[in-house]
Amino acid sequence: MLTLIIGLDPKSSTAISKCMIMGAAGSTVYYNLRLRHPTLEMPLIDYDLPLLFQPMLMLGISIGVTLNILFADWMVTLLLIILFIGTSTKALIKGVDTWKKETVMKKEAARLEAEEFKLSDGAVQDYKMLPSGPNAIRHDDDVPLIQNIHWNELSLLVYAWIGFLVVQIIKEYLQTCSVMYWIVNSLQIPIAASVTVFEAICLYKGRRVIASKGKEVTNW
């Protein structure tokens, strides 16, 4: 949209879009910190999930930033087209699959409602929301914000964020593409890998679980 509507070049629009996404994501996280899961006794945010994938996601973005500088504009545009075709196709397939499932659920709900109506001899029944519906998210006043946050997991995420930030700041004061520049830049790899590998080992050995999956067992 920044390229087609506003007319920015692909490289500038890529960078600005990241800042826009960051603002939206920050406000969403701040709002969700206070919420409880609608069906499980846990916060709405499952901290083990971002511990598993977010450090590597940040590492991928850093690699993408480097490639964004190296590649020509036409190459960036071509890669964006390929990316958007892939994500749009995936979203379409997911949407169709969700539509099919919801259609089956609506038919089943209509059938059950008709049976209940017959059993109740036409008496009006109160409508009940699904337990996992959009309005089921609980603003649980019994759990304070401080207790609703998993501070150990959050501290590991903050460690990764601060580590990446320090590397990016130090890199700006070094000669571009010098030996020291690439040594400092490569420090992002152990920072990201240390958090993700730690979480992966804990999940594999059963010391941690993806609590938001409930009783579903995952063979790590």
Side-chain angles (χ1 to χ4, degrees):
M1 290 174 63
L2 291 173
T3 302
L4 297 175
I5 299 175
I6 301 179
L8 296 177
D9 62 275
K11 292 186 177 182
S12 299
S13 60
T14 302
I16 293 174
S17 67
K18 291 297 180 189
C19 295
M20 296 168 66
I21 292 170
M22 176 63 187
S27 60
T28 303
V29 170
Y30 175 75
Y31 177 77
N32 288 337
L33 282 174
R34 301 176 288 112
L35 302 181
R36 301 290 293 177
H37 194 281
T39 57
L40 300 173
E41 289 300 323
M42 59 173 291
L44 183 64
I45 298 176
D46 189 345
Y47 290 88
D48 287 291
L49 277 175
L51 275 178
L52 185 63
F53 70 81
Q54 188 163 338
M56 288 301 175
L57 179 64
M58 294 167 61
L59 181 61
I61 292 173
S62 294
I63 295 172
V65 169
T66 302
L67 296 179
N68 190 43
I69 297 171
L70 296 175
F71 290 167
D73 283 347
W74 67 266
M75 195 178 296
V76 174
T77 304
L78 179 62
L79 290 172
L80 283 173
I81 292 172
I82 296 173
L83 173 66
F84 291 152
I85 290 174
T87 54
S88 299
T89 303
K90 185 177 181 180
L92 178 62
I93 294 173
K94 180 67 174 178
V96 172
D97 184 56
T98 303
W99 176 74
K100 289 180 179 179
K101 290 180 180 178
E102 289 181 348
T103 301
V104 173
M105 291 173 63
K106 286 174 67 176
K107 290 180 178 179
E108 182 67 18
R111 185 183 64 81
L112 293 174
E113 185 179 359
E115 291 179 357
E116 290 180 2
F117 184 79
K118 291 178 180 178
L119 292 174
S120 61
D121 296 326
V124 178
Q125 299 290 324
D126 291 334
Y127 176 76
K128 296 181 179 180
M129 294 293 295
L130 292 172
S132 59
N135 295 326
I137 295 177
R138 295 180 294 169
H139 297 259
D140 200 336
D141 296 330
D142 296 332
V143 181
L145 175 62
I146 296 179
Q147 296 181 15
N148 200 45
I149 298 174
H150 290 187
W151 293 101
N152 291 335
E153 289 81 357
L154 184 61
S155 62
L156 286 173
L157 288 172
V158 171
Y159 153 75
W161 295 334
I162 293 177
F164 271 70
L165 179 61
V166 170
V167 168
Q168 297 296 332
I169 293 175
I170 295 176
K171 193 175 66 172
E172 292 299 315
Y173 293 94
L174 300 174
Q175 182 181 353
T176 304
C177 290
S178 63
V179 175
M180 186 56 64
Y181 174 91
W182 288 113
I183 291 175
V184 172
N185 202 23
S186 63
L187 291 177
Q188 296 173 103
I189 298 175
I191 293 174
S194 60
V195 178
T196 296
V197 170
F198 170 76
E199 177 67 18
I201 292 174
C202 289
L203 289 171
Y204 179 76
K205 293 186 175 181
R207 293 200 295 265
R208 291 178 180 271
V209 294
I210 304 298
S212 57
K213 299 186 73 172
K215 296 181 180 180
E216 182 180 345
V217 179
T218 303
N219 184 4
W220 294 104

